[in-house]
Amino acid sequence: MKAEALFWQQCTQAVNEDGSIDAEHLMELVIATYRSHESGYDEIERSAEMLLTENRELRDTISSTAQALAEQHKLFEIVLNNLPLGLSVFDADQRLTLSNLRFRQLFGFSDGDVAPGTRIADLMHKTHGTEQTSARTRSRKEGQDASSKTRRIRRREWLMDDGRIIQSVVTILADGSNIAIHADITEDRKAAERITYLAHHDPLTGLPNRIRFREQLDAALAERRQDEQIALVHLNLDRFKSINNTLGVSAGDKILQQVAERIRASAGSENILARLGSDEFAILQTHRQQPWNITALADQIRRELSEPFFRGDKQVELSVSMGISIAPDDAAESDKLLRNAAVALSHAKADGRRHQRFFTDEMDEKMQARHALEADLRAAVQNEEFELHYQPLYDLAQHRICGFEALIRWNHPVRGRVPPMEFIPLAEEVGLVVDIGRWVLHRACNDAARWPEDVKIAVNVSAIQFSSSDLLQDVNKALAAAELSPSRLELEITESVLMENRDEALPILHALKERGIRISMDDFGTGYSSLSYLSSFPFDKIKIDKSFVNDIVDHKEAHAIMRAIILLGDALGMRVTVEGVETAEQMALLEREACDEIQGYHISPPKPFGDAAHMLSMPAKKNGTTPFAKRRH
Ligand code: C2E
Ligand code: CA
Ligand code: CA
């Protein structure tokens, strides 16, 4: 059959029942005929021409369909080559059928490399990288019924020579062909690694953080051989808060970095280090004989950290306390080992800091006792189990009681009377001293308001009250509530107030002084550098610690020191009170040395409020004897 006739015959198939023409069908027929009869192409074209000239409507349809198809194809090309992902399609023979521009870019292929029909193996040879992992192949059932075909998804990862990481997700179809999308995951991977790093490291020092340390400790304990010991050191810088307070937080941070560096240098790479918190670090030592090795390391770190640090022209001295626990002797699990090291650390601190202590079972018992005391103390604040006793301050020139010092007593329902030295340090540590101190101020001011105008009230104030509460406001409230004149109130502070937060405390002290409240330096002579603290604030009074009084009668040297301190107070324009005067001889000597005031059992021990009022009403005797001295308890 001639091509033309065949064509016409075929064309009739494209005529629908209603006489209209199915353009798409016709196009297919034109193409098919064209392909199978290439020789007769001119005739077909001519016939088609004829047909088309006769049928204008058909021509328009055909041309617009052809145009739409061309546009669709163009659009497909555009989409394909602008995809942010690489795309490749391989047929069942593993030959490339389709790929896009991003695919070529990702793997560094040239246009020639990706000619359709290229074998997958040949293409892989040209890749500038190596396959890292050929991860899980996941099969997925297509459709619900068991007979349906399966397709598998496989993830592959490539490390390119330039460092990029490319991930391919390959879908292998049932006929063996595959469609894959490829993406550069370098940035995502880096971000993920960064997040993992940040979650496990301290950004300031670059050391592992508490979470990471915990993981390392768990791993070390799990891998521990039966005869192996593991030492855990918990380090804490002594009084680091005062460095932050005086030099500022950013200088504090710089010093912490230097501290970390020194610890790192001492510990070397064979020990595991971490920063557990602000000024807390930890070291884990495995595969060593203990306690010798860890003692040597702790000694070395202490020496390194005792060398001064420099911030600009400022020199900073630091010391460190350490608690050490050893597995399996002290504990075999992480939690307990960490806890025991912390317990040992708190004992090192209590021993006056700068120490290292190994955990012992007695420490644990003490710790339990301490926790119990703390719980009781919290309850005591709620239940107001406290009472104030008053100890007279005796004016040696006027021979009269010129004031009382309020001293707290805790009447515990079971423990009995707990002395302040047993609970005030704990209350300071756990912050309860703020509430207790507020209660003391109110009670003392109220009681003092019932005494004659010329009798003062002295109240002890902790360093914590300066840093953790609005002391000025608390004092003002107490004075207002009691309608007590500020000039009748004396606040006794110790050097620690100026040592720990001088910058915070000085303005508060000045404000208190401006209100007319008097400020005393308590326990003078027991700290380190009393003279520098004395000159940093115009104290109204110095209270010389009772340890200086004991020997003044029998020892010339003690007498000379006492005389010198009294003269020093005079020179600075501060009143001098000597504490702990227990005998008439001591009182007589101090009177001769022109000491202003004394306090001690010789005058009277601290007594309840009712007794204080009674003491005031009794006449005083001169020459070192007083009627109150017998009333001790
Ligand atoms: P402190 O402020 O130095 O108080 C003087 C301490 O010496 C009192 O001990 C007192 O009873 C004792 N004492 C008085 N005369 C003599 C004496 O002649 N010989 C001897 N050996 N001791 C004498 P207390 O009452 O046990 O208080 C101890 C410390 O507890 C006080 O020392 C003070 O630091 C603290 N404290 C007491 N009450 C408070 C308070 O309300 N707030 C705060 N923050 N601390 C308080
Ligand atoms: Ca005192
Ligand atoms: Ca004192």
Side-chain angles (χ1 to χ4, degrees), residues 319-541:
S319 65
V320 62
S321 300
M322 294 182 237
I324 305 170
S325 59
I326 292 179
D329 307 19
D330 299 331
E333 328 81 66
S334 301
D335 275 343
K336 203 150 176 232
L337 203 62
L338 279 165
R339 211 199 66 181
N340 289 353
V343 168
L345 173 67
S346 69
H347 276 79
K349 291 260 177 205
D351 283 356
R353 305 183 165 95
R354 302 164 180 267
H355 282 68
Q356 65 217 35
R357 289 286 305 265
F358 281 90
F359 173 80
T360 61
D361 289 338
E362 297 89 79
M363 281 183 186
D364 200 25
E365 283 154 26
K366 270 195 198 162
M367 202 44 117
Q368 313 270 4
R370 218 186 89 110
H371 284 317
L373 186 66
E374 185 187 332
D376 282 5
L377 194 55
R378 285 189 194 280
V381 173
Q382 297 292 316
N383 307 337
E384 296 206 4
E385 290 169 13
F386 302 110
E387 182 190 356
L388 288 184
H389 279 196
Y390 293 97
Q391 185 175 35
L393 293 153
Y394 191 83
D395 187 313
L396 287 175
Q398 296 178 7
H399 296 284
R400 67 171 193 99
I401 292 173
C402 57
F404 288 94
E405 176 177 4
L407 293 158
I408 195 164
R409 301 291 178 258
W410 175 14
N411 300 315
H412 186 274
V414 180
R415 294 174 194 267
R417 181 164 288 171
V418 187
M421 290 318 279
E422 272 179 38
F423 69 89
I424 291 289
L426 178 65
E428 288 177 337
E429 222 173 288
V430 297
L432 282 172
V433 81
V434 168
D435 291 332
I436 297 176
R438 205 174 282 135
W439 178 86
V440 172
L441 274 167
H442 275 267
R443 176 87 264 149
C445 288
N446 261 315
D447 287 350
R450 290 150 73 182
W451 297 330
E453 288 282 322
D454 59 356
V455 177
K456 296 194 168 58
I457 175 74
V459 174
N460 293 285
V461 180
S462 285
I464 315 296
Q465 291 173 265
F466 281 82
S467 53
S468 312
S469 65
D470 189 343
L471 181 62
L472 192 62
Q473 186 185 315
D474 288 349
V475 168
N476 282 335
K477 278 190 181 162
L479 288 172
E483 294 179 13
L484 190 77
S485 157
S487 62
R488 291 181 61 193
L489 178 63
E490 288 181 356
L491 297 182
E492 297 191 2
I493 66 160
T494 58
E495 282 177 346
S496 62
V497 170
L498 292 171
M499 232 152 73
E500 277 160 32
N501 45 9
R502 183 196 176 100
D503 291 352
E504 236 173 328
L506 276 179
I508 302 173
L509 286 173
H510 282 289
L512 288 165
K513 202 174 159 84
E514 258 160 47
R515 280 279 280 135
I517 295 156
R518 300 158 66 84
I519 311 289
S520 309
M521 165 66 83
D522 202 359
D523 301 344
F524 182 76
T526 55
Y528 314 60
S529 47
S530 310
L531 295 183
S532 87
Y533 292 119
L534 264 193
S535 59
S536 65
F537 182 79
F539 288 95
D540 296 284
K541 183 190 274 190

